[in-house]
Every structure is written in C-alpha cells, then in structure tokens.
C-alpha cells in the first residue's frame, strides 16, 4: 500500500475532526426547509443522523409542514403496484392526514394505520346501532375522519341513514375521540328536520366537516339548503343559500374553495362563486359572489358545457373536462398550467392518499397484533 494512504488511528481522528471543523453547518431553518420536502421513508432513516435531526423530524410543527407539502395521489382500485390496497383482508373506509381507516373483512374490526411509517392502531367496536341495521342495502353509510395537527386530536364519526317501513328517515350517528374514548358514543346534537320535497341531494367533505346539500322544492320555488356537521364541535348547522343568487340551481356546481363549501355556475365566460364561510358560531354565506374571468373560454378547446369545477383557491382553479382530463387554471396569468388524465370510473377510489409522519398515541408496528 502506498505511504500516501497509510494513517494510524490518531491521524484518522485528526483528519475527521479537521473535516468537521472545515465543513460549515447549515442553519436549522435551512435544514428544516430541505427535510420538509423529503419522502417519509428518507426522513425515517434521517432520524439516525443526530439527536437534533431526530427531535426536528418528530416535532409536531415539522410533521404538519411536511404533510402540507406531500403530494396527494388518488388510490386506484386496480393498480397492482399500489401497496396500500394490496391487502384484500381489509377495505378502506376513509383516508386523511396520511392515515387510513380500515376494516377487517373477516373480523369486522376497525384499525387506523399509517402505511408510510407502517404503524397501526386498533379501535374499539362501534355500537350495534351503526353496523347492524335491519337492511344495509336500504341505507347509506357515511364516515368523517379528521386529525388536528395543532392539538394532535383525532376524531372519527359514523352516520347511517335509512328509511323505516313508513318511509320516515332514520339516522344513527356515533363519534370516537381516538385515545380519549374507550368506546363510541352517540352524538348529543341531532340535525334538524327539513321541510319540503327533496329534488336532489349530494354530499361534500372538507377538513373536519361534512356537508349535506339538498335542493328542496317548496311550492313552485327551489331552495338550496346545506346541513353542515363540524366534527370538532360535534354540532350541526343549517343554512340556506340566499334566493336569486343563481338563476337555475340545477345548473350549479359544488366544490371546495379554500377548503370551504362553494356553489358556482359558469356564465358569460366567468365562474361565479358563493362560499359558505366559517364564522363565530357556525357558517355564513359570503356577502357577494366571487367572479373569476375564465379567459380560456374564448378558445374552443374547452367549451363551458363540458366543464366541471372541482376545487379552487383565489389563485388556482381545477376543472374536469368530459370526465377525461383535469387541468389547473392560473387566475392571475389567465393560463392553463397543467393537465392530467383521469382514471376511468371503474378504477377510481373515492379517496386520496397523502403520505405523512403522523403518529397517534398507542400505535404499534403493523406486524404486532
């Protein structure tokens, strides 16, 4: 071996110490910025770098920042490479904050798991009122799950709607505060009853909220009524869209605008939006319509008759076109900045998955049952 590469133990220590002194340390805020864009599996390995990195990666604020920056992807029912859906023993009930609410098909037990960290949490069984209705085919089952990154609180809510023999709607709702409740408990507040004939009904979820939107006919008039459930306050709030805002309620679209329920219509080469905003004590409709010019409608590529707004903010709007593609429209520049093909309906799963570092108290490695 050449003398050039012969070092004794003391020389090696000297070289290592000298390299450490010569290498400038990055500021913590720069390290945080870099790590917040890294995938979960890389972050799990990075915990071994130093105690400082371990503390940073486990910090709730960092977990929240990383989760917001993670890319959300739709779960595909027919993608063999999708490890999340590769276990046919479970069915996915909900997906939120990087967590999956799953039910074992054989035992009917419920679990919360984080596929990225490979951790899971066993949940208590819901009461018979939710799962053992006389005929599940005659009812509708909804779930709302939410995680608060500030308080680290996680809640799950189940609601079952069905009609009895007299045609009267029956509703059973239960809620569980994960880590606090040892059993599911019935909701204290029940939703108010609606008057009038329901012409159309649809449902929309946002973070910690569930909205039941009904078009109701009273005489010759149509009204749009919203029943909103706040999982953190465990309360229902009813609101009615002011009359005359839209000429034809049957031609309106529902979507999320900055995580709030919004009603919209496309008219005169613009998107007209009314937002159900948060306020003290519940919700209220925005005082006036938001009007967003859609400059691309001047071309014939995307005629408005084939467009469906799916989500939006003050800067970006996402549209579906002919159920074939989805594109993003940048409001300020008036240009389309990205398109992607949509999965066929038979391959779609109703939920998206966003990998995260979220860990709930009591979680164990997936292999430990």
């Amino acid at each position: 071996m050449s003398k050039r590469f012969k070092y004794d133990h003391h020389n090696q220590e000297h070289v290592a110490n000298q390299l450490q002194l010569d290498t400038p340390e990055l500021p913590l805020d720069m390290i945080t910025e870099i790590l917040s864009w890294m995938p979960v599996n890389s972050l799990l390995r990075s915990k071994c770098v130093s105690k400082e990195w371990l503390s940073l990666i486990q910090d709730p604020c960092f977990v929240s920042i990383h989760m917001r920056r993670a890319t959300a992807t739709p779960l595909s029912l027919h993608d063999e490479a999708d490890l999340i859906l590769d276990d046919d023993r479970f069915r996915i009930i909900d997906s939120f904050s990087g967590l999956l609410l799953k039910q074992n098909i054989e035992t009917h037990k419920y679990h919360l798991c984080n596929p990225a960290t490979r951790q899971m949490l066993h949940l208590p069984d819901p009461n018979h009122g939710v799962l053992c209705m006389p005929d599940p085919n005659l009812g509708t089952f909804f779930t709302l799950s939410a995680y608060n990154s500030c308080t680290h609180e996680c809640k799950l809510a189940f609601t079952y709607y069905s009609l009895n023999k007299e045609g009267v709607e029956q509703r059973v709702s239960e809620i569980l505060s994960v880590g606090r409740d040892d059993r599911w408990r019935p909701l204290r507040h029940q939703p108010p009853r609606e008057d009038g004939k329901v012409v159309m009904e649809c449902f929309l979820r946002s973070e910690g909220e569930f909205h039941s939107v009904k078009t109701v006919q009273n005489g010759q008039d149509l009204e749009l009524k919203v029943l909103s459930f706040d999982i953190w306050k465990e309360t229902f709030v009813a609101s009615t869209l002011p009359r005359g805002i839209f000429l034809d309620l049957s031609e309106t679209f529902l979507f999320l605008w900055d995580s709030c329920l919004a009603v919209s219509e496309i008219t005169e080469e613009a998107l007209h939006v009314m937002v159900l905003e948060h306020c003290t004590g519940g919700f209220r409709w925005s005082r006036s319509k938001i009007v967003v010019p859609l400059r691309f409608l001047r071309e014939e590529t995307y005629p408005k008759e084939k467009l469906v707004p799916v989500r939006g903010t003050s800067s970006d709007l996402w549209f579906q076109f002919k159920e074939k593609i989805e594109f993003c429209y940048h409001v300020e520049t008036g240009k389309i900045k990205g398109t992607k093909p949509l999965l066929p309906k038979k391959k779609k799963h109703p939920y998206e998955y966003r990998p995260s570092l979220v860990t709930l108290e009591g979680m164990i490695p997936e292999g430990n049952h």
Side-chain angles (χ1 to χ4, degrees):
M1 182 181 290
S2 170
K3 292 183 179 180
R4 184 181 178 183
F5 295 99
K6 285 185 178 180
Y7 299 104
D8 59 23
H9 177 69
H10 296 290
N11 283 336
Q12 290 180 24
E13 284 188 350
H14 173 74
V15 172
N17 292 334
Q18 191 63 39
L19 286 173
Q20 188 173 9
L21 290 173
D22 294 340
T23 304
E25 291 188 4
L26 292 175
L28 183 59
D29 57 347
M30 187 176 294
I31 294 175
T32 303
E33 177 68 16
I34 295 172
L35 293 181
S36 67
W37 293 99
M38 292 176 63
V40 172
N41 55 353
S42 298
L43 290 173
L44 295 178
R45 292 194 296 268
S46 298
K47 288 182 176 181
C48 302
V49 172
S50 67
K51 291 183 179 180
E52 185 179 41
W53 280 34
L54 173 63
S55 177
L56 169 64
I57 294 171
Q58 292 179 336
D59 185 85
C61 293
F62 176 83
V63 172
S64 179
I65 294 172
H66 177 268
M67 182 168 54
R68 289 198 303 268
R69 293 178 173 178
T71 302
T73 56
L75 297 177
S76 172
L77 293 172
H78 296 272
D79 186 356
E80 295 180 357
D82 193 342
L83 299 178
I84 296 174
L85 297 174
D86 198 32
D87 193 341
D88 56 7
R89 297 173 303 166
F90 295 90
R91 67 186 183 102
I92 295 179
I93 306 296
D94 202 0
S95 174
F96 65 105
S97 302
L99 303 175
L100 297 179
L101 175 60
K102 302 167 69 175
Q103 184 186 28
N104 189 301
I105 296 176
E106 296 180 355
T107 65
H108 303 292
K109 299 289 184 180
Y110 286 86
H111 312 272
L112 273 176
C113 70
N114 185 330
T117 62
R118 299 188 178 277
Q119 293 177 305
M120 69 181 302
L121 178 68
H122 299 284
L123 299 174
D125 293 333
N127 296 325
H128 291 296
V130 171
L131 292 182
C132 300
M133 299 298 287
D135 188 352
N137 295 321
L138 298 179
T140 307
F141 179 79
F142 296 102
T143 182
L144 179 62
S145 312
Y147 172 77
N148 189 321
S149 58
C150 297
T151 63
H152 321 303
E153 186 179 7
C154 180
K155 280 189 175 184
L156 311 173
F158 286 166
T159 297
Y160 188 94
Y161 297 87
S162 66
L163 298 177
N164 61 18
K165 295 180 180 180
E166 289 74 29
V168 178
E169 181 185 83
Q170 292 180 317
R171 183 195 307 260
V172 180
S173 300
E174 291 186 315
I175 195 164
L176 177 75
S177 293
V178 179
R180 295 183 181 181
D181 298 333
D182 57 0
R183 65 182 63 187
W184 293 77
R185 49 190 170 82
L187 284 175
R188 291 174 297 173
H189 303 280
Q190 294 300 318
R193 296 292 179 182
E194 293 286 357
D195 296 326
K197 178 183 178 182
V198 176
V199 177
M200 183 180 64
E201 181 177 15
C202 57
F203 305 92
L204 200 66
R205 304 188 329 164
S206 57
E207 297 180 5
E209 298 166 2
F210 184 87
H211 305 280
S212 169
V213 185
K214 298 179 180 180
T215 303
V216 179
Q217 184 172 1
N218 284 313
Q220 299 298 320
D221 298 327
L222 289 179
E223 292 183 319
L224 191 142
K225 296 189 176 184
V226 181
L227 182 63
S228 303
F229 173 67
D230 186 324
I231 196 171
W232 303 117
K233 297 179 181 178
E234 300 184 17
T235 56
F236 292 90
V237 178
S239 54
T240 302
L241 181 72
R243 294 188 179 187
I245 298 294
F246 301 107
L247 294 178
D248 188 353
L249 290 177
S250 64
E251 296 294 325
T252 57
F253 303 97
L254 295 174
F255 65 100
L256 292 180
W257 177 283
D258 284 333
S259 299
C260 294
L261 172 70
V263 184
S264 68
E265 68 175 358
I266 301 176
T267 181
E268 298 178 356
E269 296 185 352
L271 182 71
H272 297 247
V273 185
M274 285 289 288
V275 181
L276 190 62
E277 302 171 333
H278 297 91
C279 67
T280 304
F283 305 89
R284 67 181 177 192
W285 291 100
S286 51
R287 295 182 178 179
S288 59
K289 285 193 295 186
I290 301 170
V291 180
V292 182
L294 303 178
R295 302 178 193 175
F296 64 88
L297 289 179
R298 299 169 187 172
E299 305 172 3
E300 296 182 359
T301 308
Y302 301 113
K304 65 180 182 181
E305 293 78 13
K306 304 293 183 179
L307 287 178
V308 177
V310 290
R311 59 188 181 278
T313 66
S314 56
S315 59
D316 292 314
L317 288 169
W318 284 262
F319 293 88
Q320 284 186 8
F321 176 64
K322 290 185 176 179
E323 296 187 346
K324 292 183 178 180
I325 66 169
E326 183 175 294
F327 65 86
C328 179
Y329 173 71
H330 191 251
V331 176
E332 185 176 351
T333 62
K335 295 182 179 180
I336 295 173
K337 64 178 186 179
T339 62
K340 66 177 182 180
L342 294 173
L343 289 171
K345 280 188 176 181
K346 64 179 180 179
K347 292 187 177 182
K348 286 183 180 179
H349 194 279
Y351 305 116
E352 289 185 332
Y353 171 69
R354 185 187 301 270
S356 78
L357 291 161
V358 171
T359 300
L360 302 177
E361 184 179 352
M363 274 189 159
I364 59 175
E366 283 188 344
N368 299 344
H369 295 288

